[in-house]
Amino acid sequence: MTPEARPVTTPAGARRAALLTPGAGLYSARVAWRHSLRFRLALTYSALSAALLMLITLGVVSLLLSRMEQQFVDRLNDRADTLAEAFTNLGGGFGQSATGPSAYTLVVDPDGQVIAASPALREFQNSPYPFGTLSRVPVQGTTVRAVKRKAGDFGTLWVGLPEDDLIAARQSALSALLLALVTAPLILLLTGWWVGRRALAGLENAANLADRLDPAVSLAPLPLPAREDEVQRLLVAINSLLGRIEAQQAREKQLLGQIVHELGAPLTVLKASLSRAEARLADPEVARAALVADELTFTTQDLMQLARGQLELKLAWHYIPAGTLRDRLDRLVPGTTFTGDWGTGILCDPDRLTQALRNLLANGRRHAGADGTVTLDLRETPEQLCFRVRDSGPGLPPELGEQIFEPFVSGAGSSGLGLSVARQIARMHGGDLSGTNHPDGGALFTLTLPGAALGDDGDDLDDADVLDEPPLTPVGGTGI
C-alpha cells in the first residue's frame, strides 16, 4: 500500500528515535568507545596526567643529573686540589691520592714533557704531553674528564677521573624516563577508565532506568540514590518531568474521552436514521452515507480504546463458536472470503476480537479496492489459533516496518488507529499481531491467540461463559 501521510525520518531523527524508544538499549547495549563519556573523561585525565607527569619527571631527572654532574666535578676538583697541595707542600703525602686503578695523573714540566705518570698512564711518561687543551680524553677505552692545577716548581699537574659511572647513571635515568613516558599514559588511561566507571556508575544506572521507561505502560518515578549528588539531582528532574508527562497524558485522555462521548450519541442517531432511510428509499447515496456513518462509529470506538489505554480495559471472556465470529465479520466487511477451519471454538472477548479482525479486514478492503480480494484464513493448533488476513493490494511499504502498528501512522485517508488497536487487543488476549508482504503480492497480517486447551470438566474456562451468540456491542476501527 502507498501511505498518504507518514512521518519523515532523517538519519539524525532515526538515531534519536532509536535512543528514545523504550527498550532500544541506550545503555543496555554498550556505548561505542568513541561516544563514551567515560572514555573521554579517562582520555582527558590520562592526557593531563601524562603531561604533568612528564614535566615533573623531566624536572626531577634534570635535577638528578645536574646533581650527579656537580658531585662528579666536585670529586674531580677535590682530587686535583689534593694532589696539587701535595706537590706544593712536599710533606703533604705526595702521591698517596694518585694511586689505585682509577687514578689518572700526569706531571708536565714547563717544556711540555711528561715527567711523572700514574700506572694507568705510564705509556706517556718521558714523552710530550699528548692531550693538548682537551678536557675529555679516551684512555684505555674509558672516557676520562680532566682538570689542570699548578704543581709548584714541577710544572703542571693533570688529573683525570673516569666518567663511566656518571654516563651509566645518566643512561639509566634517561631509560627510566623513556619507559615512564611510554607506560605511564597507558597505565593512567586504564586507571582513568576504572575510576570513571566507578564514578559514573550511578549515572549509567540512571540512564538504564530511564531507558526502560515505557510511557504506554507506566510512568512510575525512578528510585533515587541515597547519596545527594548530581546523579540524584538528575533523577529528581526526570521524576518531575515524568509527573508532568503523566498529568498531560491524563488530561489528553480525558479530553479525548469527552470528545468521543459527545460524538457517540449523534452518530448513533445518524446511523439509525440512515439505516431506516436506506431500507425505505434504496438510494445509493443514502447507502454510501450509511457506510460513512459506520466508519465514523468504528473510528470513535478506536479513539475510545486509545483514550482508555490498555491497562484500563477489561476483557469479558466467552467461549464462542468460530462460526459466530465469522458471521459477524461477514456482516461488517462484506465481500470477505473465509477459508480454513471455522468449526472450532474460541476463548476470547468476542467484541474486542471482532473489533481487531474487522480492522484488519477493513484495512485490506480499503487497499485491495472494490475489485480486489480479501481473505481471512483460520488455522488451529494445540498451542494457538492463527488468523491470517491477506489482501490483493500493493502491500506494505517496507520503509515503515513496525511503524504501521503505531497510532496515527496512516495512509489512504484513514485515521491510523486500526492496526495499533488490533495489536493491542491481540496482546491483551495473550497473543500478538504481525504484518508482512505475501510472496505472491499483497499485505499479510497474522493474528495469533493462545489455544483454549479445554479440559473435560471445563475448569480451564475459569470465569468465562460458553455462549452461542454473545451480545454484540459496537466495535470498530480503521486501518493504516
Side-chain angles (χ1 to χ4, degrees), residues 178-215:
L178 180 61
L179 180 63
L181 293 179
V182 171
T183 59
L186 178 60
I187 296 175
L188 290 172
L189 180 60
L190 296 177
T191 304
W193 178 267
W194 182 81
V195 172
R197 183 172 185 176
R198 295 290 298 273
L200 298 178
L203 184 61
E204 184 174 3
N205 291 335
N208 289 333
L209 290 172
D211 187 46
R212 288 195 291 268
L213 285 175
D214 187 355

mmCIF file of all heavy atoms in Angstrom, residues 178-215:
data_model
loop_
_atom_site.group_PDB
_atom_site.id
_atom_site.type_symbol
_atom_site.label_atom_id
_atom_site.label_comp_id
_atom_site.label_asym_id
_atom_site.label_seq_id
_atom_site.Cartn_x
_atom_site.Cartn_y
_atom_site.Cartn_z
ATOM 1 N N LEU A 178 62.241 7.426 29.664
ATOM 2 C CA LEU A 178 61.590 6.990 28.427
ATOM 3 C C LEU A 178 60.547 5.907 28.720
ATOM 4 O O LEU A 178 59.434 5.934 28.173
ATOM 5 C CB LEU A 178 62.643 6.474 27.454
ATOM 6 C CG LEU A 178 62.123 5.977 26.098
ATOM 7 C CD1 LEU A 178 61.415 7.101 25.355
ATOM 8 C CD2 LEU A 178 63.251 5.404 25.258
ATOM 9 N N LEU A 179 60.893 4.953 29.590
ATOM 10 C CA LEU A 179 59.943 3.905 29.945
ATOM 11 C C LEU A 179 58.717 4.476 30.623
ATOM 12 O O LEU A 179 57.576 4.072 30.345
ATOM 13 C CB LEU A 179 60.636 2.886 30.859
ATOM 14 C CG LEU A 179 59.765 1.703 31.330
ATOM 15 C CD1 LEU A 179 59.329 0.861 30.135
ATOM 16 C CD2 LEU A 179 60.535 0.856 32.341
ATOM 17 N N ALA A 180 58.940 5.456 31.499
ATOM 18 C CA ALA A 180 57.802 6.082 32.183
ATOM 19 C C ALA A 180 56.905 6.818 31.199
ATOM 20 O O ALA A 180 55.669 6.763 31.290
ATOM 21 C CB ALA A 180 58.304 7.037 33.261
ATOM 22 N N LEU A 181 57.512 7.489 30.216
ATOM 23 C CA LEU A 181 56.722 8.235 29.237
ATOM 24 C C LEU A 181 55.939 7.298 28.320
ATOM 25 O O LEU A 181 54.904 7.685 27.767
ATOM 26 C CB LEU A 181 57.634 9.138 28.412
ATOM 27 C CG LEU A 181 58.304 10.290 29.177
ATOM 28 C CD1 LEU A 181 59.193 11.092 28.234
ATOM 29 C CD2 LEU A 181 57.254 11.184 29.813
ATOM 30 N N VAL A 182 56.423 6.079 28.138
ATOM 31 C CA VAL A 182 55.718 5.127 27.280
ATOM 32 C C VAL A 182 54.614 4.409 28.041
ATOM 33 O O VAL A 182 53.488 4.243 27.551
ATOM 34 C CB VAL A 182 56.719 4.111 26.676
ATOM 35 C CG1 VAL A 182 55.977 2.992 25.959
ATOM 36 C CG2 VAL A 182 57.674 4.810 25.725
ATOM 37 N N THR A 183 54.915 3.965 29.256
ATOM 38 C CA THR A 183 53.955 3.147 30.010
ATOM 39 C C THR A 183 52.971 3.975 30.837
ATOM 40 O O THR A 183 51.843 3.540 31.065
ATOM 41 C CB THR A 183 54.704 2.192 30.937
ATOM 42 O OG1 THR A 183 55.525 2.949 31.851
ATOM 43 C CG2 THR A 183 55.580 1.242 30.143
ATOM 44 N N ALA A 184 53.409 5.143 31.302
ATOM 45 C CA ALA A 184 52.537 5.928 32.184
ATOM 46 C C ALA A 184 51.211 6.301 31.527
ATOM 47 O O ALA A 184 50.153 6.162 32.151
ATOM 48 C CB ALA A 184 53.269 7.178 32.673
ATOM 49 N N PRO A 185 51.174 6.780 30.254
ATOM 50 C CA PRO A 185 49.864 7.101 29.669
ATOM 51 C C PRO A 185 48.928 5.901 29.601
ATOM 52 O O PRO A 185 47.724 6.042 29.858
ATOM 53 C CB PRO A 185 50.232 7.603 28.259
ATOM 54 C CG PRO A 185 51.621 8.108 28.381
ATOM 55 C CD PRO A 185 52.279 7.204 29.366
ATOM 56 N N LEU A 186 49.466 4.715 29.266
ATOM 57 C CA LEU A 186 48.603 3.536 29.202
ATOM 58 C C LEU A 186 48.068 3.177 30.588
ATOM 59 O O LEU A 186 46.878 2.888 30.759
ATOM 60 C CB LEU A 186 49.390 2.359 28.612
ATOM 61 C CG LEU A 186 48.635 1.028 28.521
ATOM 62 C CD1 LEU A 186 47.395 1.180 27.650
ATOM 63 C CD2 LEU A 186 49.543 -0.062 27.975
ATOM 64 N N ILE A 187 48.958 3.209 31.580
ATOM 65 C CA ILE A 187 48.512 2.909 32.948
ATOM 66 C C ILE A 187 47.499 3.941 33.421
ATOM 67 O O ILE A 187 46.472 3.606 34.029
ATOM 68 C CB ILE A 187 49.727 2.849 33.892
ATOM 69 C CG1 ILE A 187 50.648 1.693 33.498
ATOM 70 C CG2 ILE A 187 49.281 2.713 35.343
ATOM 71 C CD1 ILE A 187 51.931 1.637 34.296
ATOM 72 N N LEU A 188 47.754 5.200 33.117
ATOM 73 C CA LEU A 188 46.828 6.254 33.519
ATOM 74 C C LEU A 188 45.491 6.115 32.801
ATOM 75 O O LEU A 188 44.435 6.380 33.394
ATOM 76 C CB LEU A 188 47.447 7.622 33.227
ATOM 77 C CG LEU A 188 48.623 8.024 34.113
ATOM 78 C CD1 LEU A 188 49.260 9.307 33.602
ATOM 79 C CD2 LEU A 188 48.160 8.215 35.558
ATOM 80 N N LEU A 189 45.521 5.709 31.519
ATOM 81 C CA LEU A 189 44.276 5.531 30.783
ATOM 82 C C LEU A 189 43.442 4.409 31.394
ATOM 83 O O LEU A 189 42.230 4.555 31.585
ATOM 84 C CB LEU A 189 44.572 5.225 29.318
ATOM 85 C CG LEU A 189 43.363 5.017 28.403
ATOM 86 C CD1 LEU A 189 42.495 6.266 28.382
ATOM 87 C CD2 LEU A 189 43.790 4.646 26.999
ATOM 88 N N LEU A 190 44.091 3.287 31.709
ATOM 89 C CA LEU A 190 43.365 2.184 32.334
ATOM 90 C C LEU A 190 42.849 2.578 33.716
ATOM 91 O O LEU A 190 41.712 2.259 34.090
ATOM 92 C CB LEU A 190 44.269 0.952 32.427
ATOM 93 C CG LEU A 190 44.715 0.346 31.095
ATOM 94 C CD1 LEU A 190 45.670 -0.811 31.327
ATOM 95 C CD2 LEU A 190 43.513 -0.111 30.281
ATOM 96 N N THR A 191 43.697 3.280 34.466
ATOM 97 C CA THR A 191 43.252 3.741 35.783
ATOM 98 C C THR A 191 42.105 4.724 35.667
ATOM 99 O O THR A 191 41.119 4.654 36.422
ATOM 100 C CB THR A 191 44.431 4.392 36.521
ATOM 101 O OG1 THR A 191 45.517 3.471 36.605
ATOM 102 C CG2 THR A 191 44.035 4.817 37.921
ATOM 103 N N GLY A 192 42.211 5.645 34.704
ATOM 104 C CA GLY A 192 41.126 6.603 34.498
ATOM 105 C C GLY A 192 39.840 5.929 34.068
ATOM 106 O O GLY A 192 38.750 6.329 34.484
ATOM 107 N N TRP A 193 39.966 4.895 33.224
ATOM 108 C CA TRP A 193 38.775 4.147 32.806
ATOM 109 C C TRP A 193 38.108 3.479 34.008
ATOM 110 O O TRP A 193 36.890 3.527 34.159
ATOM 111 C CB TRP A 193 39.172 3.120 31.760
ATOM 112 C CG TRP A 193 38.029 2.270 31.289
ATOM 113 C CD1 TRP A 193 37.637 1.051 31.764
ATOM 114 C CD2 TRP A 193 37.105 2.590 30.250
ATOM 115 N NE1 TRP A 193 36.551 0.595 31.085
ATOM 116 C CE2 TRP A 193 36.186 1.513 30.153
ATOM 117 C CE3 TRP A 193 36.953 3.676 29.396
ATOM 118 C CZ2 TRP A 193 35.153 1.513 29.239
ATOM 119 C CZ3 TRP A 193 35.922 3.654 28.486
ATOM 120 C CH2 TRP A 193 35.049 2.591 28.407
ATOM 121 N N TRP A 194 38.909 2.866 34.856
ATOM 122 C CA TRP A 194 38.354 2.207 36.039
ATOM 123 C C TRP A 194 37.739 3.216 36.996
ATOM 124 O O TRP A 194 36.625 3.021 37.498
ATOM 125 C CB TRP A 194 39.453 1.411 36.740
ATOM 126 C CG TRP A 194 38.967 0.663 37.939
ATOM 127 C CD1 TRP A 194 38.319 -0.536 37.966
ATOM 128 C CD2 TRP A 194 39.094 1.080 39.306
ATOM 129 N NE1 TRP A 194 38.029 -0.893 39.253
ATOM 130 C CE2 TRP A 194 38.486 0.081 40.103
ATOM 131 C CE3 TRP A 194 39.651 2.180 39.927
ATOM 132 C CZ2 TRP A 194 38.433 0.172 41.489
ATOM 133 C CZ3 TRP A 194 39.598 2.277 41.306
ATOM 134 C CH2 TRP A 194 38.995 1.280 42.067
ATOM 135 N N VAL A 195 38.462 4.315 37.232
ATOM 136 C CA VAL A 195 37.922 5.351 38.120
ATOM 137 C C VAL A 195 36.651 5.958 37.531
ATOM 138 O O VAL A 195 35.657 6.185 38.233
ATOM 139 C CB VAL A 195 38.995 6.438 38.367
ATOM 140 C CG1 VAL A 195 38.395 7.615 39.133
ATOM 141 C CG2 VAL A 195 40.165 5.849 39.149
ATOM 142 N N GLY A 196 36.670 6.215 36.212
ATOM 143 C CA GLY A 196 35.477 6.755 35.571
ATOM 144 C C GLY A 196 34.303 5.805 35.640
ATOM 145 O O GLY A 196 33.155 6.227 35.822
ATOM 146 N N ARG A 197 34.582 4.514 35.514
ATOM 147 C CA ARG A 197 33.499 3.539 35.612
ATOM 148 C C ARG A 197 32.871 3.550 36.996
ATOM 149 O O ARG A 197 31.663 3.485 37.137
ATOM 150 C CB ARG A 197 34.050 2.155 35.273
ATOM 151 C CG ARG A 197 32.986 1.056 35.283
ATOM 152 C CD ARG A 197 33.561 -0.243 34.763
ATOM 153 N NE ARG A 197 32.536 -1.263 34.660
ATOM 154 C CZ ARG A 197 32.729 -2.470 34.171
ATOM 155 N NH1 ARG A 197 33.930 -2.799 33.719
ATOM 156 N NH2 ARG A 197 31.749 -3.339 34.091
ATOM 157 N N ARG A 198 33.740 3.635 38.023
ATOM 158 C CA ARG A 198 33.207 3.689 39.377
ATOM 159 C C ARG A 198 32.454 4.998 39.617
ATOM 160 O O ARG A 198 31.378 5.014 40.218
ATOM 161 C CB ARG A 198 34.350 3.553 40.389
ATOM 162 C CG ARG A 198 35.058 2.202 40.368
ATOM 163 C CD ARG A 198 34.137 1.119 40.906
ATOM 164 N NE ARG A 198 33.762 1.376 42.286
ATOM 165 C CZ ARG A 198 34.461 0.991 43.336
ATOM 166 N NH1 ARG A 198 35.597 0.332 43.163
ATOM 167 N NH2 ARG A 198 34.050 1.268 44.561
ATOM 168 N N ALA A 199 33.035 6.090 39.122
ATOM 169 C CA ALA A 199 32.435 7.399 39.384
ATOM 170 C C ALA A 199 31.138 7.597 38.622
ATOM 171 O O ALA A 199 30.214 8.270 39.106
ATOM 172 C CB ALA A 199 33.427 8.506 39.027
ATOM 173 N N LEU A 200 31.054 7.020 37.414
ATOM 174 C CA LEU A 200 29.859 7.218 36.587
ATOM 175 C C LEU A 200 28.880 6.061 36.679
ATOM 176 O O LEU A 200 27.932 5.989 35.891
ATOM 177 C CB LEU A 200 30.274 7.413 35.122
ATOM 178 C CG LEU A 200 31.144 8.643 34.829
ATOM 179 C CD1 LEU A 200 31.510 8.690 33.355
ATOM 180 C CD2 LEU A 200 30.412 9.914 35.230
ATOM 181 N N ALA A 201 29.096 5.149 37.620
ATOM 182 C CA ALA A 201 28.176 4.010 37.746
ATOM 183 C C ALA A 201 26.763 4.482 38.058
ATOM 184 O O ALA A 201 25.783 3.965 37.513
ATOM 185 C CB ALA A 201 28.684 3.055 38.836
ATOM 186 N N GLY A 202 26.644 5.479 38.916
ATOM 187 C CA GLY A 202 25.313 5.998 39.236
ATOM 188 C C GLY A 202 24.633 6.611 38.039
ATOM 189 O O GLY A 202 23.432 6.431 37.821
ATOM 190 N N LEU A 203 25.394 7.338 37.223
ATOM 191 C CA LEU A 203 24.825 7.945 36.022
ATOM 192 C C LEU A 203 24.396 6.874 35.028
ATOM 193 O O LEU A 203 23.341 6.986 34.381
ATOM 194 C CB LEU A 203 25.846 8.883 35.395
ATOM 195 C CG LEU A 203 25.390 9.680 34.177
ATOM 196 C CD1 LEU A 203 24.223 10.572 34.540
ATOM 197 C CD2 LEU A 203 26.543 10.518 33.628
ATOM 198 N N GLU A 204 25.200 5.803 34.888
ATOM 199 C CA GLU A 204 24.837 4.720 33.977
ATOM 200 C C GLU A 204 23.574 4.003 34.455
ATOM 201 O O GLU A 204 22.697 3.675 33.660
ATOM 202 C CB GLU A 204 25.992 3.733 33.866
ATOM 203 C CG GLU A 204 25.734 2.615 32.858
ATOM 204 C CD GLU A 204 26.936 1.727 32.653
ATOM 205 O OE1 GLU A 204 27.952 1.945 33.324
ATOM 206 O OE2 GLU A 204 26.858 0.819 31.809
ATOM 207 N N ASN A 205 23.463 3.782 35.764
ATOM 208 C CA ASN A 205 22.245 3.156 36.296
ATOM 209 C C ASN A 205 21.031 4.035 36.048
ATOM 210 O O ASN A 205 19.946 3.543 35.713
ATOM 211 C CB ASN A 205 22.410 2.896 37.792
ATOM 212 C CG ASN A 205 23.431 1.818 38.086
ATOM 213 O OD1 ASN A 205 23.686 0.958 37.239
ATOM 214 N ND2 ASN A 205 24.033 1.856 39.253
ATOM 215 N N ALA A 206 21.210 5.346 36.224
ATOM 216 C CA ALA A 206 20.096 6.263 35.958
ATOM 217 C C ALA A 206 19.680 6.209 34.493
ATOM 218 O O ALA A 206 18.488 6.217 34.168
ATOM 219 C CB ALA A 206 20.505 7.694 36.344
ATOM 220 N N ALA A 207 20.667 6.133 33.596
ATOM 221 C CA ALA A 207 20.346 6.038 32.164
ATOM 222 C C ALA A 207 19.612 4.734 31.855
ATOM 223 O O ALA A 207 18.668 4.712 31.053
ATOM 224 C CB ALA A 207 21.627 6.134 31.340
ATOM 225 N N ASN A 208 20.047 3.618 32.477
ATOM 226 C CA ASN A 208 19.370 2.338 32.248
ATOM 227 C C ASN A 208 17.937 2.380 32.749
ATOM 228 O O ASN A 208 17.018 1.866 32.097
ATOM 229 C CB ASN A 208 20.139 1.212 32.932
ATOM 230 C CG ASN A 208 21.461 0.903 32.253
ATOM 231 O OD1 ASN A 208 21.602 1.138 31.053
ATOM 232 N ND2 ASN A 208 22.430 0.411 32.995
ATOM 233 N N LEU A 209 17.723 2.990 33.920
ATOM 234 C CA LEU A 209 16.363 3.099 34.452
ATOM 235 C C LEU A 209 15.489 3.946 33.523
ATOM 236 O O LEU A 209 14.341 3.588 33.237
ATOM 237 C CB LEU A 209 16.399 3.715 35.845
ATOM 238 C CG LEU A 209 16.988 2.843 36.967
ATOM 239 C CD1 LEU A 209 17.128 3.652 38.242
ATOM 240 C CD2 LEU A 209 16.100 1.628 37.213
ATOM 241 N N ALA A 210 16.036 5.074 33.076
ATOM 242 C CA ALA A 210 15.260 5.936 32.180
ATOM 243 C C ALA A 210 14.999 5.256 30.843
ATOM 244 O O ALA A 210 13.933 5.443 30.240
ATOM 245 C CB ALA A 210 16.006 7.255 31.962
ATOM 246 N N ASP A 211 15.946 4.428 30.382
ATOM 247 C CA ASP A 211 15.789 3.745 29.097
ATOM 248 C C ASP A 211 14.677 2.709 29.146
ATOM 249 O O ASP A 211 14.048 2.416 28.130
ATOM 250 C CB ASP A 211 17.111 3.085 28.714
ATOM 251 C CG ASP A 211 17.081 2.494 27.313
ATOM 252 O OD1 ASP A 211 16.607 3.189 26.401
ATOM 253 O OD2 ASP A 211 17.516 1.349 27.144
ATOM 254 N N ARG A 212 14.436 2.138 30.328
ATOM 255 C CA ARG A 212 13.398 1.112 30.447
ATOM 256 C C ARG A 212 12.002 1.697 30.628
ATOM 257 O O ARG A 212 11.029 0.948 30.686
ATOM 258 C CB ARG A 212 13.726 0.189 31.618
ATOM 259 C CG ARG A 212 14.894 -0.748 31.345
ATOM 260 C CD ARG A 212 14.963 -1.861 32.358
ATOM 261 N NE ARG A 212 15.326 -1.386 33.674
ATOM 262 C CZ ARG A 212 16.574 -1.325 34.129
ATOM 263 N NH1 ARG A 212 17.569 -1.693 33.349
ATOM 264 N NH2 ARG A 212 16.825 -0.904 35.354
ATOM 265 N N LEU A 213 11.903 3.008 30.709
ATOM 266 C CA LEU A 213 10.585 3.622 30.864
ATOM 267 C C LEU A 213 9.752 3.425 29.599
ATOM 268 O O LEU A 213 10.240 3.597 28.489
ATOM 269 C CB LEU A 213 10.725 5.123 31.146
ATOM 270 C CG LEU A 213 11.179 5.531 32.549
ATOM 271 C CD1 LEU A 213 11.380 7.037 32.604
ATOM 272 C CD2 LEU A 213 10.156 5.097 33.591
ATOM 273 N N ASP A 214 8.520 3.071 29.787
ATOM 274 C CA ASP A 214 7.573 2.942 28.678
ATOM 275 C C ASP A 214 6.341 3.760 29.018
ATOM 276 O O ASP A 214 5.521 3.350 29.847
ATOM 277 C CB ASP A 214 7.188 1.471 28.467
ATOM 278 C CG ASP A 214 6.341 1.276 27.212
ATOM 279 O OD1 ASP A 214 5.990 2.301 26.575
ATOM 280 O OD2 ASP A 214 6.037 0.126 26.866
ATOM 281 N N PRO A 215 6.205 4.948 28.430
ATOM 282 C CA PRO A 215 5.064 5.802 28.772
ATOM 283 C C PRO A 215 3.720 5.145 28.503
ATOM 284 O O PRO A 215 2.709 5.516 29.108
ATOM 285 C CB PRO A 215 5.268 7.037 27.873
ATOM 286 C CG PRO A 215 6.719 7.037 27.538
ATOM 287 C CD PRO A 215 7.120 5.594 27.478
#
